[in-house]
Amino acid sequence: MRMPARGTTALLTLALAASLAGTAGIAGAESSRHGDQADHGKNGKIKNVIYLLGDGMGRTHVTAARTRYYGADGHLVMESLPAVGQVSTYAVQQGSGQPGSSDFAPNYVTDSASAATAWSSGVKTYNAALGVDAKGNVVPTLMEYAKQAGLRTGNVSTAEITDATPAGQMSHVLLRGCQGPTYSASACQNPTLTGGALPTSDVRVTPVADQIARNGTADVILGGGLSRFDAADESALEAQGYDVLGSPATQTVATKTDLAGTSAPKVFGLFNKGNLTIEKYKRENPSSVQAQEPTVADMTAKAISLLSSGKKGFYLQVEGALIDKRSHANDAAQTLEEIKAFDEAVRVARDFARRDGHTLVIVTADHECAGFNIIEKGTFTNAEATTPPANTDGGNTANNSTPSRPSGGAKDPVRSTGPVNGSGAGDPKNFAPATFRTADDPAGVVDGSPDASLWLTYLSGNHTGADVPVFAYGPGSDELEGSIDNTDLFDIVGGALGLTD
Amino acid sequence: MRSILLALALALVAGAGVACSDRSGTDDSGTRPVAAVDPLTAAKTSFPGLEPARPGDLPLGLDTASPAPGTVAVVPGPFDDRFVLRGVRLADGVVSGRLTVTSDVSDLLELEVVAGFYDADGRLLTTAKAVHHLDEAVASHEEGPPDETAPFRIAVPRRLLDRVASAAITVPVLVNE
């Protein structure tokens, strides 16, 4: 399903890079979209892959963050990467075969677990599954392959490290809720799929935290979720040679000072008992305990420095998780700030790749979250969630829809989950709509006012089936151009690292 | 879609350790693991030294809680900083209350509230639990924002109704989307 043909894309890209290389005005990557095209065609051998994803980050999330922080003519770092494509994200039903098989049964809207399994293991699976296919079979992950092949490996997230996205590379469970610290039959067993309860020694019902602490899949593990781990996990990690920052045994969170002080080849550092803290809170409360958490950019920089000493290269996954979590809450202000924080991690990765010359940087998402949209001032409707507007146009009947709705309809309780912040829609601190000043606005325009130029709205509080963007930099980045499926990411990264051919 | 099952599925057979069912093959692009990796051993599926969970294990602290008659104690658990409890009480042979998640705004995937029931001398008589499990395969979302308040009711077994004098609760399982 990939298109266009890779070879054609590569040639076009090389030609474009050659034509741009001698021109002025493309030096600043963020000042010009695709400003890195000049060195995009570098024929370096790929040694490392840095795979970054903004959880829940759809195309509109990127556009909104760009507009919010840099204005209509600005660009996020990720938008400066020269290769651009789009990724389909659908999942499948439990028990489904793979696409093309007679028992293939798609589910158009994925969750983070199914999506993570798609790029980690190259298979479609059901929502909630991690490291298993839709029939419940264990499927190895790229990070496991990388580890086996002698590459250095790292896994960074602003979520609990047992959460779906990081766990997708380093665990195998039937249900993503099987996180730990304790086993729970309801959270771990899936008797509908397996025909009965599996023994608790089966990896597929072994809590993710127990697996991560013992399988050594990632050399560098940085994120949140200390509550999922206990004293036995700490002992298991130390027995494998990890420098454990903080302490699972005493539930002492690690700090950014701890992170800065380590140079061990294997590091386990969790900086919050749950998910890491949103940047907005840390910025506004610099003396808080939470402000001692590193940013996703800090963790990315440290992970690269720890992993890049390996002779065989490294594979690092980085997740900006709070984009999704705040999108579920329809919290545009914090969603946008988390996208900016994630973009700073992209900057770190891109800058390393520029210096290194042998690193492929991929930036994408697992799915879109909440139907995020940029709307024209004063046009908020959220049609599906509240009251559908009229869909017939007395002045131009060519605009009319079927079925005809000459006046406003009513909310369909079967199809609609209703307004997320309906009763508070008029309050600027709520969503629906949210308005934000941008770099294009005159001085004095403030967030939340009708004068602010960026109007944002949501369709729901959950994931959508929209394709997500992918941006890439470095040798091999042309592989990401065009339309791909999320399972193609497995092939591309595996091929780049020499793990699959 | 160009990728498919690279090489294998490890079918784990109950009680028989790991049995390998090699479904290896290549997809339409010919993608397969290179010689440097072995799909049969790449995934770690056993963990020497890890004691398999025993489903009947008590959450830590319930066996020693010994709450005073007429009270409901709250035994510390790993997620106490993620929720608030309201209206917790023991009445008419039921310990009940409401748990509201404060750490996230998203669907509540997993929740277990475990209750211990004690006699007048503070001896643990039995345990029972309330379980919330969101089956994502069949879940439909409620109207409005995710409901993060979970009411719970845990009944005293009928045979112990006349002996139970107090209770303790703890929350060993909590997962948000």
Side-chain angles (χ1 to χ4, degrees):
Chain A
M1 198 161 80
R2 289 168 52 77
M3 53 187 178
R6 292 184 189 175
T8 304
T9 306
L11 288 173
L12 287 173
T13 307
L14 283 168
L16 181 57
S19 69
L20 288 173
T23 63
I26 61 168
E30 296 79 70
S31 64
S32 173
R33 197 171 304 175
H34 310 319
D36 275 326
Q37 282 173 322
D39 56 1
H40 169 46
K42 187 179 292 182
N43 290 317
K45 180 181 184 301
I46 301 174
K47 186 177 175 186
N48 316 304
V49 171
I50 305 175
Y51 182 93
L52 306 100
L53 70 141
D55 198 312
M57 185 183 73
R59 176 62 247 190
T60 301
H61 286 73
V62 175
T63 306
R66 170 222 302 164
T67 308
R68 160 74 159 158
Y69 295 108
Y70 304 109
D73 195 37
H75 307 291
L76 297 177
V77 176
M78 67 181 86
E79 293 179 292
S80 75
L81 306 189
V84 180
Q86 54 197 346
V87 184
S88 58
T89 65
Y90 70 91
V92 294
Q93 306 286 347
Q94 187 169 287
S96 168
Q98 295 299 309
S101 64
S102 59
D103 58 349
F104 171 58
N107 178 348
Y108 297 144
V109 182
T110 188
D111 74 350
S112 295
S114 174
T117 301
W119 74 68
S120 296
S121 296
V123 298
K124 293 290 186 183
T125 194
Y126 59 92
N127 286 344
L130 285 170
V132 298
D133 68 16
K135 297 180 187 296
N137 301 301
V138 171
V139 283
T141 72
L142 275 175
M143 197 164 284
E144 290 169 336
Y145 279 144
K147 184 67 180 173
Q148 190 176 52
L151 277 70
R152 303 267 292 141
T153 50
N155 206 329
V156 170
S157 178
T158 54
E160 297 185 75
I161 206 69
T162 54
D163 201 16
T165 300
Q169 289 281 12
M170 48 187 183
S171 66
H172 305 273
V173 287
L174 298 171
L175 297 172
R176 65 174 179 172
C178 185
Q179 294 190 23
T182 55
Y183 165 84
S184 157
S186 66
C188 298
Q189 298 281 356
N190 188 351
T192 305
L193 182 66
T194 58
L198 299 177
T200 56
S201 58
D202 191 310
V203 67
R204 294 170 291 176
V205 294
T206 299
V208 170
D210 286 340
Q211 295 188 43
I212 290 173
R214 289 163 182 81
N215 62 22
T217 299
D219 295 313
V220 175
I221 299 170
L222 303 175
L226 189 68
S227 293
R228 304 287 176 192
F229 296 83
D230 57 22
D233 296 326
E234 182 169 335
S235 297
L237 287 159
E238 289 175 342
Q240 297 167 82
Y242 282 91
D243 181 9
V244 179
L245 310 181
S247 171
T250 63
Q251 287 294 293
T252 304
V253 295
T255 67
K256 58 186 176 186
T257 304
D258 296 333
L259 183 63
T262 187
S263 57
K266 301 178 77 170
V267 176
F268 179 89
L270 303 185
F271 305 92
N272 193 303
K273 294 176 76 173
N275 298 319
L276 298 192
T277 306
I278 57 167
E279 291 303 319
K280 183 172 184 288
Y281 181 88
K282 292 193 291 183
R283 177 169 51 77
E284 294 173 349
N285 299 274
S287 60
S288 65
V289 172
Q290 292 88 343
Q292 292 306 306
E293 298 171 10
T295 65
V296 65
D298 294 337
M299 292 191 291
T300 302
K302 188 66 178 187
I304 291 172
S305 74
L306 293 171
L307 296 173
S308 58
S309 60
K311 292 181 179 176
K312 289 188 173 180
F314 67 83
Y315 177 36
L316 170 62
Q317 177 173 298
V318 177
E319 181 196 27
L322 305 182
I323 298 166
D324 180 69
K325 296 189 184 303
R326 300 320 301 171
S327 292
H328 276 289
N330 284 14
D331 182 343
Q334 296 184 25
T335 297
L336 295 176
E337 192 150 344
E338 291 304 314
I339 296 169
K340 186 170 187 292
F342 173 68
D343 198 52
E344 291 305 312
V346 175
R347 184 191 306 277
V348 168
R350 189 276 316 268
D351 289 352
F352 171 80
R354 275 178 169 170
R355 295 191 303 272
D356 176 72
H358 300 284
T359 299
L360 171 61
V361 176
I362 298 172
V363 183
T364 188
D366 49 357
H367 52 73
E368 200 274 347
C369 187
F372 204 31
N373 261 305
I374 300 169
I375 60 173
E376 188 176 359
K377 278 186 177 182
T379 63
F380 173 70
T381 56
N382 201 357
E384 186 69 13
T386 56
T387 304
N391 67 2
T392 61
D393 184 340
N396 180 2
T397 55
N399 287 341
N400 292 353
S401 293
T402 303
S404 175
R405 195 167 57 234
S407 59
K411 187 189 78 175
D412 181 341
V414 176
R415 292 185 303 159
S416 173
T417 58
V420 173
N421 278 318
S423 61
D427 187 334
K429 77 176 185 297
N430 290 337
F431 203 77
T435 65
F436 295 90
R437 67 161 285 113
T438 73
D440 301 317
D441 283 336
V445 171
V446 298
D447 291 347
S449 72
D451 299 326
S453 59
L454 181 61
W455 282 54
L456 301 171
T457 189
Y458 290 100
L459 181 62
S460 77
N462 287 291
H463 301 167
T464 72
D467 286 3
V468 294
V470 59
F471 310 95
Y473 174 91
S477 56
D478 54 293
E479 294 283 308
L480 282 304
E481 293 180 338
S483 293
I484 62 173
D485 184 73
N486 56 5
T487 53
D488 293 332
L489 293 162
F490 172 88
D491 303 312
I492 293 167
V493 174
L497 291 173
L499 303 173
T500 61
D501 59 11
Chain B
M1 172 82 196
R2 67 182 282 267
S3 148
I4 287 288
L5 299 171
L6 266 189
L8 93 141
L10 296 176
L12 301 181
V13 179
V18 177
C20 297
S21 170
D22 189 347
R23 295 167 50 198
S24 65
T26 59
D27 61 22
D28 56 355
S29 69
T31 298
R32 65 173 71 228
V34 297
V37 298
D38 176 9
L40 291 173
T41 59
K44 296 275 180 57
T45 57
S46 62
F47 309 101
L50 176 64
E51 190 76 19
R54 290 175 296 185
D57 284 353
L58 277 181
L60 284 177
L62 278 185
D63 52 343
T64 57
S66 192
T71 66
V72 181
V74 178
V75 172
F79 308 113
D80 292 352
D81 57 344
R82 304 189 191 189
F83 61 82
V84 294
L85 291 167
R86 294 189 178 89
V88 177
R89 64 181 191 141
L90 174 64
D92 303 324
V94 173
V95 63
S96 61
R98 288 176 294 124
L99 180 149
T100 301
V101 175
T102 56
S103 57
D104 282 297
V105 180
S106 64
D107 287 327
L108 181 59
L109 298 182
E110 308 290 344
L111 171 68
E112 285 191 11
V113 182
V114 182
F117 296 108
Y118 304 80
D119 66 15
D121 296 323
R123 285 190 294 263
L124 179 64
L125 298 172
T126 191
T127 63
K129 61 185 175 184
V131 175
H132 168 92
H133 168 70
L134 181 68
D135 185 348
E136 292 190 79
V138 297
S140 60
H141 297 287
E142 302 291 324
E143 176 164 341
D147 185 357
E148 301 197 291
T149 296
F152 60 88
R153 287 174 50 86
I154 308 171
V156 177
R158 186 179 301 275
R159 62 186 167 79
L160 296 174
L161 275 174
D162 58 348
R163 294 179 61 195
V164 168
S166 62
I169 60 170
T170 190
V171 180
V173 176
L174 177 61
V175 181
N176 273 77
E177 198 275 336

